[in-house]
Amino acid sequence: MSAFIGIVVAVWLAALAIWLSVSKFVRNSDVDRIRTRLSGAPGKQKKAAEDPSRRSIIQQDRREGHLIQRLLKKYNLLTRLELLIEQAGLKWHPVRMVHGSLALLVAGSGLGWMFLPGKWSRFLIIPGLIAAATPMLYLLKTRRARLRKFEEIFPESLEFVARSMRAGHAFSASLEMIHREFQEPLAGEFRRTFEEHNLGLPLEMALQKLAQRVPSLDVHFFVSAVLLQKRTGGNLAEILDKLAYIIRERFKLRGRIRAISAHGRMTGTALSLIPVVVAVLMFFANPDYIRFFFLDETGNYMMGGAILLQIIGYAVMKKIVSIEV
């Protein structure tokens, strides 16, 4: 057992050392590329292409495509991870996140090997998978909370833009004032949109990038309304006021539906917890009956099938009571 613990610790330290070295190399490569682009001039492109330092930077870029990054790019996962991280408002790097998940997989499997009994050793991958999924679950939870907070204050920002336009301000100037009047994450997203437009990006593309960063139906309505008004004309302030009113009405309808479906959600939770409570009570009332599921191979398969069916049933009930508005 001590030898196994030593192996797990050694693998953990090796994975951590590789992760830190790769992260440092990526940061240095990014800094070198930025310095090269800032110091370059349009009339010296040919010299830069022939410069040995330029060739070394290209070689570094090739070495940067290590195994994890190449696999993510091959299966189109790198862009998706970057988009999820951006929508969650985190400063993570996709490759470092995958490295962390792999390290947690090794650590969780090692802990499962240490604490699970001999007959359960074939299930030691389960604690590793749970530990490896922790960064992704945290990312999705943070993203969901950030989008929900954005949607809560979005109607007020639309009314603010409408009032500022009635006061004589341009639409782009109204976007610039939002980040001073509202809190995050809405302030940061609109500040980024204004800065992109201010640095030369067309307003249509800046708004479309906003809709991509914030995958909300309300934001898509806002972008579509602004782009349609730019093409056909009309009173944009009045359009934004009506859009804010519609969004608030949708929130009210969503609240009513959640209140009506609360009974179904509580019923699904109760039905899912009943087998767990009965199993705990039977463990204290008749331990021999419960040991069959832990000590016998047939009992292991029966318990695994019961847990799987319970999870499927809970997912189906949750899907039934989840009504999108």
Side-chain angles (χ1 to χ4, degrees):
M1 182 62 68
S2 60
F4 176 76
I5 294 175
I7 293 174
V8 171
V9 172
V11 172
W12 170 263
L13 293 177
L16 184 61
I18 295 173
W19 185 11
L20 292 177
S21 61
V22 171
S23 301
K24 183 178 179 181
F25 174 76
V26 171
R27 287 196 298 269
N28 293 336
S29 301
D30 292 339
V31 171
D32 292 338
R33 285 202 309 274
I34 292 172
R35 287 178 179 175
T36 303
R37 291 173 182 174
L38 291 177
S39 61
K44 299 180 180 180
Q45 292 180 353
K46 294 183 179 180
K47 294 182 179 180
E50 299 174 357
D51 193 3
S53 62
R54 176 63 178 170
R55 289 198 298 269
S56 65
I57 292 173
I58 294 175
Q59 292 176 0
Q60 287 181 356
D61 290 341
R62 291 176 180 175
R63 288 197 303 268
E64 186 179 330
H66 48 280
L67 180 60
I68 299 297
Q69 190 166 358
R70 281 184 292 177
L71 288 175
L72 292 177
K73 287 182 178 180
K74 181 179 179 180
Y75 296 102
N76 297 324
L77 296 176
L78 185 62
T79 305
R80 296 180 183 179
L81 276 178
E82 289 176 348
L83 183 60
L84 287 176
I85 293 172
E86 187 177 17
Q87 291 173 353
L90 300 175
K91 302 298 182 182
W92 292 1
H93 193 281
V95 177
R96 298 173 196 168
M97 176 182 168
V98 175
H99 288 165
S101 298
L102 293 176
L104 290 174
L105 175 64
V106 174
S109 300
L111 293 175
W113 182 277
M114 292 170 56
F115 293 104
L116 288 178
K119 288 188 175 182
W120 290 79
S121 59
R122 58 181 173 287
F123 298 110
L124 61 89
I125 192 63
I126 296 178
L129 293 176
I130 295 174
T134 303
M136 179 58 69
L137 294 177
Y138 176 77
L139 174 64
L140 296 177
K141 182 180 179 181
T142 306
R143 173 180 177 270
R144 190 181 305 111
R146 187 171 184 266
L147 294 179
R148 187 183 300 113
K149 188 175 181 181
F150 184 97
E151 291 177 347
E152 288 177 356
I153 56 180
F154 185 59
E156 298 179 7
S157 67
L158 296 182
E159 293 180 345
F160 175 82
V161 173
R163 290 195 300 267
S164 63
M165 292 184 66
R166 288 194 182 96
H169 297 284
F171 177 74
S172 59
S174 302
L175 295 181
E176 193 270 337
M177 291 187 293
I178 286 180
H179 79 272
R180 296 200 302 263
E181 300 294 334
F182 293 88
Q183 57 184 352
E184 296 291 340
L186 187 139
E189 294 295 341
F190 276 97
R191 180 175 64 248
R192 180 173 176 180
T193 303
F194 170 76
E195 290 176 352
E196 290 175 348
H197 175 59
N198 195 34
L199 291 174
L201 191 68
L203 181 61
E204 292 80 5
M205 294 184 62
L207 291 176
Q208 289 174 359
K209 293 181 68 175
L210 171 65
Q212 184 179 9
R213 293 194 305 270
V214 185
S216 173
L217 186 62
D218 302 331
V219 177
H220 285 280
F221 284 159
F222 165 69
V223 174
S224 300
V226 174
L227 296 182
L228 184 62
Q229 190 273 339
K230 290 290 183 182
R231 295 173 183 174
T232 61
N235 191 347
L236 183 58
E238 183 179 355
I239 294 174
L240 294 180
D241 280 334
K242 292 182 179 180
L243 181 59
Y245 173 77
I246 292 174
I247 293 174
R248 284 201 172 92
E249 291 299 319
R250 287 181 63 244
F251 282 156
K252 292 180 182 178
L253 180 59
R254 186 183 302 174
R256 293 174 184 173
I257 291 176
R258 286 185 60 86
I260 295 173
S261 61
H263 180 268
R265 293 197 304 273
M266 293 177 62
T267 303
T269 304
L271 291 176
S272 301
L273 291 178
I274 285 175
V276 179
V277 175
V278 171
V280 173
L281 294 177
M282 288 297 297
F283 181 79
F284 290 101
N286 191 359
D288 296 333
Y289 181 79
I290 297 297
R291 287 198 190 98
F292 165 75
F293 295 98
F294 290 92
L295 301 179
D296 191 87
E297 185 176 359
T298 305
N300 295 156
Y301 290 118
M302 292 176 63
M303 185 174 65
I307 293 175
L308 179 61
L309 292 175
Q310 193 69 22
I311 294 174
I312 294 175
Y314 177 76
V316 171
M317 288 186 289
K318 187 176 181 181
K319 185 67 177 178
I320 291 174
V321 298
S322 296
I323 303 174
E324 293 293 335
V325 179

